[in-house]
Amino acid sequence: MRIVLAVDGSPSSIQARDLVGALPWPAETSITVVTAYEPPASWFTYPGAGAGSWLDEAEAALRGAADDALAAAAAPLEAGGRPVDRRVIRGRAADTILAVADEVDADLIVLGSRGRGPIASMLLGSVSAEVADRSRRPVLVSRGDRVARLVVATDGSPCSELIPGVIGGWQVFEGVPTLAVSVAPEGSPTFDLLLSAYTMGSLEPEREREQLRELHDEHATAMAARLREVAIPAEASVRSGHPAHEIITAAAETGADLIATGSRCLHGVDRWVLGSVARDVLVHAQCSVLIVPAASAA
């Protein structure tokens, strides 16, 4: 197991570090802890502005802050006996994180949900969302330091069907109570119109909704069964409404510490109406979120 942990010294990234340290990874797991800083010259957009000795001093200060943040983040992991590779890299945060993940062939990228630690340019703003959106590897965005209860979202698509194989292979969620959730998207007049067009009016609206709910019940039941096959005790739940809202609500109601979902999984009419459910869950959930992309099959 190879993990890339991105830190910037912020409380959020320290929380991500603590989550990595708390999970029972396989004995051979290695961790690459990376922090990035953008050189001050990159702050200027017109030629000649980024010049002067003060830039060297400012960059030295950024590098020093990065070194300190990295040392503080890595020390507890090293004390636990894990192999830890420390890296401070000059460059844009999201690009750096993804490049390091490719270099070490990471199985997982972990980072905090918000930044602004000593290296203010590291995990500031939407870096976690950008990494999750661009990554070909699973990305765990931490909002807590433990996982005692899990929600796995599925819509029956090939992307979401990858989740049991991925997290089952890690072996860190064995025995964690889990709710497998599938949401029948209902309640939008636009959705009703598109669904009617998609089925060419072959069904009455109420029957369309009934069949849709039955389909998502099958998705949830199948997901729960597959999770149990990899030693993750799971129950199935089907809900109706906006998928992202219902997934987040299910996590809140069950006290889940982590939501696992596929990336860009919704297909057909669902995608036209709802956009990126995974991104909405990532941005609005109060708990940690694991995004499993289609490329994880490789």
Side-chain angles (χ1 to χ4, degrees):
M1 182 76 183
R2 295 174 295 276
I3 300 170
V4 167
L5 169 64
V7 300
D8 70 343
S10 66
S12 182
S13 70
I14 295 303
Q15 195 173 62
R17 185 276 316 276
D18 290 344
L19 177 58
V20 170
L23 290 172
W25 305 104
E28 68 278 8
T29 299
S30 62
I31 303 170
T32 299
V33 184
V34 60
T35 189
Y37 68 94
E38 294 187 48
S42 67
W43 303 343
F44 300 94
T45 58
Y46 55 94
S53 60
W54 72 271
L55 285 174
D56 294 334
E57 296 174 1
E59 181 162 348
L62 282 175
R63 172 72 194 219
D67 286 335
D68 292 344
L70 189 66
L77 298 174
E78 293 169 335
R82 298 280 187 196
V84 176
D85 177 16
R86 302 185 185 188
R87 301 194 185 192
V88 175
I89 298 178
R90 185 179 189 263
R92 185 172 177 272
D95 295 339
T96 295
I97 295 165
L98 293 168
V100 171
D102 286 342
E103 181 184 340
V104 304
D105 193 20
D107 300 294
L108 175 66
I109 300 171
V110 183
L111 67 171
S113 60
R114 293 179 299 276
R116 208 170 185 87
I119 317 123
S121 61
M122 173 54 176
L123 296 180
L124 189 59
S126 60
V127 172
S128 57
E130 181 182 350
V131 170
D133 192 51
R134 292 173 52 192
S135 178
R136 299 180 298 106
R137 307 168 189 279
V139 175
L140 173 55
V141 178
S142 169
R143 292 188 177 96
D145 58 6
R146 66 169 194 159
V147 176
R149 189 171 290 275
L150 181 64
V151 162
V152 174
T154 178
D155 65 350
S157 64
C159 184
S160 60
E161 292 305 294
L162 293 173
I163 295 173
V166 170
I167 65 176
W170 297 345
Q171 302 176 356
V172 293
F173 301 127
E174 291 183 359
V176 175
T178 299
L179 187 68
V181 176
S182 190
V183 182
E186 298 178 6
S188 164
T190 304
F191 177 82
D192 290 343
L193 175 62
L194 289 175
L195 182 60
S196 178
Y198 191 67
T199 60
M200 300 187 70
S202 60
L203 297 172
E204 293 298 321
E206 289 305 316
R207 182 54 183 157
E208 290 173 354
R209 290 187 176 88
E210 182 182 343
Q211 288 197 352
L212 189 62
R213 187 176 179 87
E214 290 172 355
L215 176 63
H216 283 272
D217 187 34
E218 293 173 5
H219 295 334
T221 300
M223 175 61 74
R226 292 191 60 204
L227 290 167
R228 290 193 293 268
E229 289 174 359
V230 293
I232 299 174
E235 297 180 356
S237 173
V238 61
R239 303 173 71 104
S240 299
H242 187 286
H245 173 78
E246 293 301 323
I247 292 165
I248 293 169
T249 300
E253 290 176 351
T254 59
D257 307 293
L258 176 67
I259 298 170
T261 180
S263 174
R264 301 186 186 89
C265 289
L266 293 181
H267 43 74
V269 174
D270 294 354
R271 175 183 291 162
W272 300 344
V273 179
L274 301 172
S276 174
V277 172
R279 189 178 181 89
D280 286 347
V281 170
L282 176 62
V283 171
H284 298 293
Q286 297 300 305
C287 62
S288 301
V289 177
L290 172 67
I291 306 291
V292 178
S296 298

